[in-house]
Amino acid sequence: MTAANESADVPVRLLVRDLAQLVTPSGGASPLRGEGLGEVDVLEDAFVLCEGGKIAAVGRMQDLEPFAGDVVELDGRGLSAIPGLVDCHTHACFAGDRVEEFALRASGASYEELHAAGGGILSTVRATRAAGEDGLRAAVRRHRTSMLRSGTTTFESKSGYGLDRDTELASLRAIADAGGVPTWLGAHGVPSEFEDADAYLDFALSEVLPAAASLAEAADVFVERGAFDVPQARRYLTACAEAGLALRLHGDQFSEQGAVGLAIELRARSIDHLEATGEAGVTALSQSEVAAVLLPASALFLGRPMPPGRALVEAGAIVALATDFNPGSAFCESLPLVTSLAATQLKLSPAEALAACTVNAAHVLGRADRLGRLVPGYAADLVLIDAPDWRYLAYHLGADLVAGVIRSGAPAELR
Ligand code: NIG
Ligand code: FE
């Protein structure tokens, strides 16, 4: 058996049979929004047949035709199959930890205070710069395996803890090497060797962007007081779009600074966080094609207000869910836990939460034509959960219910 992105042992055909349930977001359209977000197809007593790394067929056991030729069979009794989970927002390329900061925060210090005092993101920058490319490769692979164990078969990861040329480019290579979708978060913070954000952007856009553009699929910026303001973010993102990158923004995490308007103006793929977004932002996003990526594990970890998930869904915005996995604001690899938080805190139904971290997350990564649904022709990425009803995914809070993961038609090694 093989790790996530290696396919040496892919069986020609793999049949997962006698599943208690198989569930997939309904319909063929993507992204899903409004009422469509909560529509799922559930098959009881089901099978899924994988061939050549793709889904060849799904159906009820009673409709399974006998067939000739080699097939590896997996017993799905008592298990439910869901699409492989897609984590469209992580910061998995970092070294060191922030356990000291975590302890300080637990006794009252705020995330923003620690950031302003040179801790926070910049302390991870120091550790990441010191790790070297081999250290970063090992770190992303380790984090990738933890995510896979929680059912994540596709992950995006940002750079953003190098903020110098060599470490940013090494980060993007390490992410791709581990099978991740790389995003250049070249505007995550202002490193201490620069006088201000504008001086840092002069450097990043002239010295790093030309090479980053050929390694990354998207660019991201942290729009916040103490990080980058809207004019600076506009300058950075416009240059990145001209270099061919899709656009993402960290916006409205602590305060509304105008990031929603900028995301819409620049036709960004997504704006992520939105814990501070008010009614006007919800309305604007719902009338746009910009996805709202909600990160409730980050709000929980920092003790911040939750983003307005229900309001965004009701208004018809494109809603996706992700972990925000990183050492400072969300030390959490688990999308199943995120679906629980979506249900209990954001008031999304289990079905809405499932679509938000499968097909809609795949849309944010430009892959909704092949990832995030259990239908013929899509990638044979699926998670087998140890429950007779797939909604245990969100219901069983903090449980280790991933019984198996199939990636590209092959059982993945989880340990
Ligand atoms: O999405 N807010 C900006 N970036 C990350 C946190 C990074 C860190 O604290 O190391 C986030 O929460
Ligand atoms: Fe983030």
Side-chain angles (χ1 to χ4, degrees), residues 89-91 158 185 188 220 250 273 295 324 326 329:
H89 181 139
T90 85
H91 305 251
K158 301 162 201 311
L185 179 48
H188 197 193
D220 200 340
H250 281 66
H273 274 292
L295 310 166
D324 196 23
N326 75 75
S329 72

Side-chain angles (χ1 to χ4, degrees), residues 12 49 56 58 60 99 106 124 158 183 193 229 269 277 327 345 371 400 405 408-409:
V12 180
L49 178 66
V58 298
R60 308 268 323 260
V99 65
T124 299
K158 301 162 201 311
T183 297
E193 62 272 25
D229 65 19
R269 279 260 180 86
T277 303
Q345 309 301 305
L371 296 180
D400 179 11
V405 177
S408 299

Side-chain angles (χ1 to χ4, degrees), residues 186-244:
H188 197 193
V190 180
S192 52
E193 62 272 25
F194 291 90
E195 202 168 301
D196 57 27
D198 293 301
Y200 169 68
L201 288 179
D202 289 344
F203 156 79
L205 294 177
S206 62
E207 303 296 323
V208 190
L209 172 60
S214 60
L215 296 170
E217 295 192 12
D220 200 340
V221 53
F222 183 22
V223 182
E224 191 55 73
R225 45 187 188 217
F228 298 89
D229 65 19
V230 163
Q232 289 158 348
R234 182 183 287 107
R235 177 181 167 215
Y236 169 79
L237 292 173
T238 302
C240 290
E242 281 166 9

Side-chain angles (χ1 to χ4, degrees), residues 255-328:
S255 59
E256 287 188 290
Q257 299 286 327
V260 167
L262 183 65
I264 295 169
E265 170 193 324
L266 298 181
R267 299 171 186 271
R269 279 260 180 86
S270 73
I271 179 162
D272 307 36
H273 274 292
L274 303 173
E275 289 92 320
T277 303
E279 267 177 46
V282 169
T283 304
L285 281 172
S286 69
Q287 292 163 359
S288 82
E289 299 302 313
V290 179
V293 178
L294 309 182
L295 310 166
S298 171
L300 180 78
F301 201 75
L302 295 185
R304 303 282 311 166
M306 288 286 162
R310 187 75 239 151
L312 285 159
V313 172
E314 299 278 325
I318 301 167
V319 172
L321 286 166
T323 60
D324 196 23
F325 172 62
N326 75 75

Side-chain angles (χ1 to χ4, degrees), residues 18-384:
D18 297 303
L19 287 157
Q21 289 186 336
L22 178 146
V23 63
T24 184
S26 297
S30 51
L32 297 172
R33 52 206 298 174
E35 284 181 7
L37 187 69
E39 288 166 13
V40 292
D41 297 329
V42 182
L43 293 175
E44 310 267 345
D45 193 20
F47 73 88
V48 52
L49 178 66
C50 312
E51 192 165 353
K54 295 193 171 157
I55 294 174
V58 298
R60 308 268 323 260
M61 283 305 292
Q62 65 195 34
D63 300 322
L64 179 63
E65 307 274 346
F67 47 80
D70 283 349
V71 63
V72 173
E73 294 199 2
L74 261 181
D75 181 1
R77 275 177 296 178
L79 307 179
S80 294
I82 62 172
L85 301 174
V86 177
D87 200 340
C88 66
H89 181 139
T90 85
H91 305 251
C93 189
F94 64 86
D97 63 40
R98 303 243 286 278
V99 65
E100 288 299 338
E101 177 188 309
F102 176 75
L104 288 172
R105 281 201 300 103
S107 36
S110 85
Y111 179 83
E112 282 189 289
E113 280 160 15
L114 293 161
H115 182 73
I121 292 171
L122 292 180
S123 79
T124 299
V125 168
R126 290 188 283 277
T128 303
R129 285 180 177 178
E133 187 153 350
D134 287 347
L136 294 181
R137 275 182 208 277
V140 186
R141 284 178 167 258
R142 194 170 64 250
H143 298 145
R144 186 266 321 266
T145 302
S146 302
M147 291 188 254
L148 186 67
R149 221 176 273 151
S150 293
T152 295
T153 50
T154 301
F155 74 99
E156 177 261 18
S157 174
K158 301 162 201 311
S159 63
Y161 291 122
L163 305 180
D164 63 21
R165 187 175 193 279
D166 288 352
T167 316
E168 282 299 304
L169 299 181
S171 298
L172 294 171
R173 285 191 293 265
I175 293 159
D177 175 71
V181 179
T183 297
W184 182 45
L185 179 48
H188 197 193
V190 180
S192 52
E193 62 272 25
F194 291 90
E195 202 168 301
D196 57 27
D198 293 301
Y200 169 68
L201 288 179
D202 289 344
F203 156 79
L205 294 177
S206 62
E207 303 296 323
V208 190
L209 172 60
S214 60
L215 296 170
E217 295 192 12
D220 200 340
V221 53
F222 183 22
V223 182
E224 191 55 73
R225 45 187 188 217
F228 298 89
D229 65 19
V230 163
Q232 289 158 348
R234 182 183 287 107
R235 177 181 167 215
Y236 169 79
L237 292 173
T238 302
C240 290
E242 281 166 9
L245 294 170
L247 306 183
R248 318 262 319 253
L249 293 87
H250 281 66
D252 292 5
Q253 181 177 10
F254 298 98
S255 59
E256 287 188 290
Q257 299 286 327
V260 167
L262 183 65
I264 295 169
E265 170 193 324
L266 298 181
R267 299 171 186 271
R269 279 260 180 86
S270 73
I271 179 162
D272 307 36
H273 274 292
L274 303 173
E275 289 92 320
T277 303
E279 267 177 46
V282 169
T283 304
L285 281 172
S286 69
Q287 292 163 359
S288 82
E289 299 302 313
V290 179
V293 178
L294 309 182
L295 310 166
S298 171
L300 180 78
F301 201 75
L302 295 185
R304 303 282 311 166
M306 288 286 162
R310 187 75 239 151
L312 285 159
V313 172
E314 299 278 325
I318 301 167
V319 172
L321 286 166
T323 60
D324 196 23
F325 172 62
N326 75 75
S329 72
F331 198 43
C332 169
E333 297 94 332
S334 172
L335 279 171
L337 179 65
V338 167
T339 66
S340 293
L341 295 175
T344 59
Q345 309 301 305
L346 307 185
K347 306 299 174 200
L348 269 60
S349 69
E352 290 168 337
L354 181 73
C357 62
T358 53
V359 63
N360 277 13
H363 167 78
V364 171
L365 300 184
R367 286 162 167 77
D369 58 341
R370 53 197 191 275
L371 296 180
R373 282 193 167 95
L374 295 183
V375 292
Y378 272 51
D381 293 350
L382 50 138
V383 182
L384 304 175

